[in-house]
Amino acid sequence: MAFNVAIDGPAGAGKSTIAKQLAKKMKFVYVDTGAMYRALAYYFLTQKIDPKDEASINAAVEHADVTIAYVEGEQQVLLNEENVNAYLRTEEVGNTASITSVYPAVRSKLVALQQKLAQTTDVIMDGRDIGTCVLPNAQVKVYLTASVATRAKRRYDELLAKGETADLGQIAADIEDRDYRDMHRELSPLKQAEDAVLVDSSDLTIEEVVAVIEKLVTERR
């Protein structure tokens, strides 16, 4: 039977970084569900579709195929067979994904793929509703969070490191707005599963968070 680890939490909490390191350490397959939603969001942007136009989004979904492939151990998100990893981490794509991920057509397209993979493979998935909706029977569930100030500073430093200009106050405002949307959306809102372990990464290093979750997995395998 496949062993599943679900890591949920708000934007910027470090879910992807932690999940990637944990998967590599434990030899699990890492599935970045957020990147899959971002890939669809990127597609909508390239098609110049208003993310608030649900009818147009629903129609466009039919022409977008999102899959995951591993090349030399690295995950690649493929949109219509093209590797789009390089385009997925912009603020515009992130905000578009937050808006469009609430649409049933978008969610059903991706959730089916994620669930199918988890049935036969030891996976670590991170997202907003993995433990509550996508993998409700996951053997380990973690709700990973951090303060808005911490998450904004991490994103700010990340953008500066890339040579981009950034406004810390605006980033914090965007994070708060995204949190509100994610937590109050009608379909599969962001929330901690009743059986999830809460981990606040505000004052923890990446290695310390990985160690906490690794211990949970080891105890339950």
Side-chain angles (χ1 to χ4, degrees):
M1 181 179 177
F3 195 98
N4 299 165
V5 180
I7 302 179
D8 291 311
K15 300 184 301 296
S16 296
T17 300
I18 299 303
K20 286 176 185 176
Q21 291 204 13
L22 187 64
K24 186 174 182 179
K25 193 170 185 180
M26 306 203 74
K27 302 188 184 310
F28 280 32
V29 171
Y30 167 60
V31 182
D32 182 354
T33 61
M36 296 172 72
Y37 283 101
R38 283 171 176 263
L40 279 183
Y42 174 70
Y43 177 74
F44 302 144
L45 288 169
T46 62
Q47 299 302 304
K48 303 188 184 307
I49 300 172
D50 183 346
K52 295 181 181 179
D53 183 351
E54 185 175 355
S56 294
I57 293 293
N58 290 347
V61 163
E62 299 301 319
H63 304 288
D65 182 58
V66 178
T67 57
I68 289 178
Y70 278 82
V71 178
E72 297 181 354
E74 294 297 322
Q75 176 181 273
Q76 292 187 0
V77 181
L78 305 180
L79 171 63
N80 293 335
E81 300 185 352
E82 176 189 355
N83 180 358
V84 293
N85 282 19
Y87 310 110
L88 301 185
R89 296 299 169 183
T90 68
E91 292 298 300
E92 183 180 25
V93 168
N95 287 329
T96 299
S98 180
I99 295 171
T100 58
S101 63
V102 304
Y103 300 144
V106 171
R107 298 193 61 76
S108 61
K109 177 98 175 180
L110 299 180
V111 168
L113 172 64
Q114 295 156 8
Q115 291 176 331
K116 183 177 180 180
L117 181 61
Q119 288 173 2
T120 58
T121 308
D122 292 340
V123 299
I124 295 177
M125 288 193 195
D126 70 280
R128 303 289 191 276
D129 63 346
I130 307 304
T132 54
C133 297
V134 181
L135 300 179
N137 298 317
Q139 291 90 336
V140 171
K141 298 180 186 179
V142 172
Y143 189 85
L144 181 64
T145 190
S147 67
V148 170
T150 297
R151 289 185 281 145
K153 184 63 165 57
R154 288 173 181 169
R155 182 59 177 159
Y156 176 79
D157 291 342
E158 180 183 329
L159 291 172
L160 291 187
K162 293 179 180 178
E164 301 179 25
T165 57
D167 183 320
L168 183 59
Q170 185 59 53
I171 292 173
D174 286 345
I175 287 175
E176 288 186 324
D177 183 52
R178 193 179 305 178
D179 283 353
Y180 184 86
R181 288 200 306 269
D182 289 344
M183 291 177 180
H184 292 82
R185 65 192 187 192
E186 184 175 349
L187 183 65
S188 303
L190 167 65
K191 63 179 180 180
Q192 181 179 341
E194 292 183 2
D195 53 348
V197 176
L198 176 65
V199 178
D200 190 324
S201 68
S202 298
D203 299 314
L204 298 177
T205 65
I206 292 172
E207 292 74 17
E208 288 172 333
V209 176
V210 169
V212 169
I213 302 176
E214 182 182 8
K215 184 172 184 291
L216 290 172
V217 174
T218 301
E219 291 173 347
R220 301 181 187 185
R221 286 188 83 179

